[in-house]
Amino acid sequence: HVQLVESGGGSVQAGGSLRLSCAAGRYTYKRNCMGWSRQRPGEDREGLAVLWIGGATTTYADSVKGQFTITRDKAKDLVYLQMNGLRPEDTAMYYCAAETDCSEGFFISHSVSEYKYWGRGTQVTVS
């Protein structure tokens, strides 16, 4: 059973930066895809970024491309989401997600919203 724990959320002024962390224990290994998603109040969950660990490849939603960066610290079993130039519309609950046995084909054809494992989220508020 995969357990994901997000941290690093908080309140920040517009233009500021935050780095979210996702602790996934031993599940950040090369057969996995790891991703970040967010959900604004009253809206559907939006996929933001995915890291296919086996292929060391990332993909981003157009809405955050160039603004957010997903990375992995292999030694610490952490996945990060670096968020720069934050705007009030980035206010949301941010979730980490994981999919095991993630092939290249799965990485290409499935969005993060379809991943199997989810954390409980961390709140980001931009004012």
Side-chain angles (χ1 to χ4, degrees), residues 37-86:
S37 183
R38 70 183 175 192
Q39 188 166 23
R40 301 185 185 96
E43 297 186 12
D44 292 335
R45 199 169 288 189
E46 175 190 13
L48 302 175
V50 172
L51 168 63
W52 172 38
I53 294 174
T57 303
T58 59
T59 186
Y60 296 90
D62 288 341
S63 58
V64 301
K65 202 171 292 184
Q67 183 190 5
F68 292 1
T69 304
I70 185 171
T71 57
R72 173 197 178 207
D73 186 323
K74 182 179 179 181
K76 296 181 179 179
D77 284 330
L78 291 172
V79 174
Y80 300 109
L81 184 69
Q82 178 67 44
M83 306 186 296
N84 299 325
L86 287 164

Side-chain angles (χ1 to χ4, degrees), residues 5 8 23 29 32 35 41 54 57 59 64-65 68 80 84 93 99-100 103 105 111 113 115 117 125:
V5 180
Y29 62 101
N32 289 359
T57 303
T59 186
V64 301
K65 202 171 292 184
F68 292 1
Y80 300 109
N84 299 325
M93 185 70 79
E99 179 63 45
T100 57
S103 65
S111 68
S113 62
Y115 286 12
Y117 302 103
T125 302

Side-chain angles (χ1 to χ4, degrees), residues 1-9 19-28 34-36 76-81 93-98 117-123:
H1 180 68
V2 178
Q3 288 187 320
L4 306 175
V5 180
E6 303 95 336
S7 62
R19 188 179 73 167
L20 305 183
S21 299
C22 175
R26 64 185 180 90
Y27 292 99
T28 57
M34 303 292 298
W36 287 93
K76 296 181 179 179
D77 284 330
L78 291 172
V79 174
Y80 300 109
L81 184 69
M93 185 70 79
Y94 284 73
Y95 297 91
C96 177
Y117 302 103
W118 290 84
R120 294 188 174 186
T122 184
Q123 177 68 38

